[in-house]
Amino acid sequence: MDGKDERHVLRKTGERLLVVVGLVLVLMLGRCDLTGPVDRQSLVVEAFLKTDRPLPTITLRQTRSLNDPGDRRANAAQGGTVELVLDGQLVSYEESDQRPGRYVPVSEVGDVPDRVPWRLSARWQGEKAQARGTTPPPIELSEVCVEVPPEPVQTIRVDSLRRDSLDIPAEQGYLYPVDVSLHWPADQLVAGEDTMHWVRPQLNPDTTESASRVVNFFLQPVDVRREDQFRRQEGQRAWTGVYAVPVEDSTSAFPRHDLTVTLTRGDTSFAAFARSRGDPERREPISNVDGGLGIATAVTIDSLRNAVTAGGEQCWSR
């Protein structure tokens, strides 16, 4: 599917949206099994190494029963030890005095290089959690193009749980579906490298009214794919997404706002985490931490922020 066909499909999606409120309730009911007690404490690790950025703060937490969630201090895994081996160099961490459960590098070793191996080890109260991987190459947005429709489209929201009644309540609304196309240079694998990276493009509009998660379910403000699954055009990868800007009625003008477009490149562990973090069927996102829970991975990020106004197509580049 080329860019025009993909944009046509996304535009057709926005012509008339049927937003099913019952979907939200079903998803919420799917989480009812999460109220059971958690008897055994487990170590939870949160670590995101970022290519060409300073070494990150690493967070250690402990799991707790949902009946006794506790506050941030109570959940912190205090008194642990953290070690990071980056490209063969050992980096020791120590716990922050002001922020329990947050561990910072003892000394600075410069920015995180790309395409180097890393290994993380964390210990707390007899538990040991480990993760490893390779830092990805940098990613850079080449161009972002935004297309604003001349007028809003109508939406209808119904309560699908009242299927036994002929009088199903419905609410009418209006929104502007905004098409956004991204381009970035295709990653060139180095000799002997056979691992394909994953990429997450994400649209974050800074609007006074944001579309609900149900509306976004029918649109595409974020995606996670293996990088070779994005279409390729003259040495560039490309993706087209859509986000919605709700308005009062059919005569409402398009609200000026800022849009942040973010590209994140990572490995399969990052992709599994990103895809599963919003899954209502899961208690927590997929973890790559051996001996514990959470996520420890390396990513590279680039973003562009600009104002979006009425007036058809607008393009930005560096």
Side-chain angles (χ1 to χ4, degrees):
M1 180 182 296
D2 60 23
K4 291 184 179 179
D5 291 338
E6 184 173 351
R7 180 171 295 181
H8 176 70
V9 171
L10 294 171
R11 175 62 64 197
K12 293 293 290 183
T13 303
E15 288 181 356
R16 190 172 181 87
L17 297 177
L18 183 63
V19 182
V20 184
V21 175
L23 176 64
V24 179
L25 299 179
V26 171
L27 296 182
M28 292 176 64
L29 291 174
R31 306 188 72 144
C32 290
D33 63 334
L34 303 187
T35 58
V38 177
D39 297 327
R40 181 178 177 274
Q41 291 179 326
S42 296
L43 180 59
V44 183
V45 179
E46 295 178 8
F48 287 90
L49 282 73
K50 298 177 182 178
T51 298
D52 293 335
R53 304 282 182 88
L55 290 173
T57 296
I58 295 174
T59 301
L60 300 185
R61 295 185 291 106
Q62 56 179 303
T63 58
R64 297 176 65 92
S65 168
L66 294 181
N67 297 324
D68 181 25
D71 56 19
R72 179 175 296 179
R73 178 175 289 273
N75 293 336
Q78 302 184 55
T81 60
V82 175
E83 289 185 345
L84 172 67
V85 178
L86 180 63
D87 196 20
Q89 181 178 359
L90 175 63
V91 181
S92 296
Y93 274 68
E94 62 183 3
E95 189 171 9
S96 170
D97 294 332
Q98 292 76 30
R99 306 169 72 187
R102 304 292 182 92
Y103 295 78
V104 296
V106 174
S107 59
E108 293 295 333
V109 296
D111 292 344
V112 175
D114 66 288
R115 288 187 164 103
V116 300
W118 60 269
R119 184 176 72 254
L120 177 68
S121 176
R123 297 176 184 270
W124 175 76
Q125 293 191 359
E127 296 192 37
K128 181 179 180 181
Q130 300 180 90
R132 65 181 62 209
T134 302
T135 58
I139 196 168
E140 182 177 348
L141 279 162
S142 301
E143 184 180 55
V144 176
C145 289
V146 174
E147 186 173 351
V148 178
E151 57 188 20
V153 298
Q154 182 181 1
T155 65
I156 298 176
R157 184 170 57 194
V158 300
D159 186 349
S160 67
L161 297 184
R162 294 186 56 180
R163 290 175 294 180
D164 58 336
S165 172
L166 296 178
D167 183 23
I168 300 178
E171 295 181 12
Q172 179 175 294
Y174 292 87
L175 57 78
Y176 282 89
V178 182
D179 292 341
V180 184
S181 297
L182 318 183
H183 294 84
W184 67 96
D187 179 36
Q188 301 295 325
L189 298 180
V190 299
E193 187 178 26
D194 59 359
T195 299
M196 181 57 65
H197 300 100
W198 291 71
V199 170
R200 181 185 66 183
Q202 187 170 17
L203 311 176
N204 294 298
D206 181 16
T207 57
T208 54
E209 290 188 51
S210 60
S212 71
R213 292 183 65 183
V214 181
V215 172
N216 285 337
F217 178 83
F218 292 90
L219 301 177
Q220 194 175 19
V222 64
D223 197 2
V224 181
R225 302 186 205 172
R226 210 175 70 178
E227 192 161 5
D228 63 344
Q229 294 178 348
F230 291 93
R231 68 181 186 274
R232 184 164 182 160
Q233 299 174 342
E234 300 178 353
Q236 299 273 313
R237 295 292 180 186
W239 175 79
T240 300
V242 182
Y243 70 92
V245 181
V247 291
E248 290 292 331
D249 53 48
S250 61
T251 63
S252 297
F254 180 78
R256 175 190 172 96
H257 61 275
D258 287 343
L259 171 67
T260 300
V261 178
T262 305
L263 267 183
T264 305
R265 175 184 281 153
D267 58 11
T268 54
S269 297
F270 160 74
F273 173 81
R275 282 182 159 184
S276 62
R277 64 184 306 179
D279 186 349
E281 299 297 324
R282 297 191 58 84
R283 186 168 190 162
E284 66 276 324
I286 294 176
S287 174
N288 70 324
V289 178
D290 293 331
L293 299 173
I295 179 69
T297 189
V299 297
T300 181
I301 301 174
D302 191 28
S303 63
L304 278 175
R305 181 182 178 92
N306 213 329
V308 180
T309 60
E313 187 176 43
Q314 308 153 52
C315 292
W316 325 316
S317 60
R318 293 190 181 279

